[in-house]
Amino acid sequence: MHLACCFLETEVARDLPAARTDGGEERGMDVPLLSIRDLAVEFRTDAGDFRAVDGLSFDVPRGRTVALVGESGSGKSVTAQAVLQILPKVARIAGGSILLNDPKLGTAVDI
């Protein structure tokens, strides 16, 4: 099964301050608000581990809306739960990174 990302233009985040690098310089609109790289999520079952999401990577640009599109069971909800850190107890993030470039703090946070 495949999972796809669609980008929609919005005006929501246009007025947020630009994210900053460690040196304090502005990075601007080219830095994604959310960056997911090689995300893998596994569920523990009696039959063994099941990988529900495997190697998912995408960015959510500032000022844009991203729609995750895929078949039933492709990992859309599990991806959202991983980003929000609300995975069920039998699930775990097995690999990858979820990086939030917080425009209010001006720093990147690995969530």
Side-chain angles (χ1 to χ4, degrees), residues 9-10 12-19 26-34 59-65 101 103:
E9 189 68 34
T10 65
V12 174
R14 298 237 180 258
D15 296 328
L16 293 175
E26 289 189 4
R27 294 185 290 174
M29 292 294 289
D30 59 327
V31 176
L33 183 64
L34 181 69
D59 291 330
V60 178
R62 289 188 55 195
R64 306 288 298 272
T65 300
N101 290 297

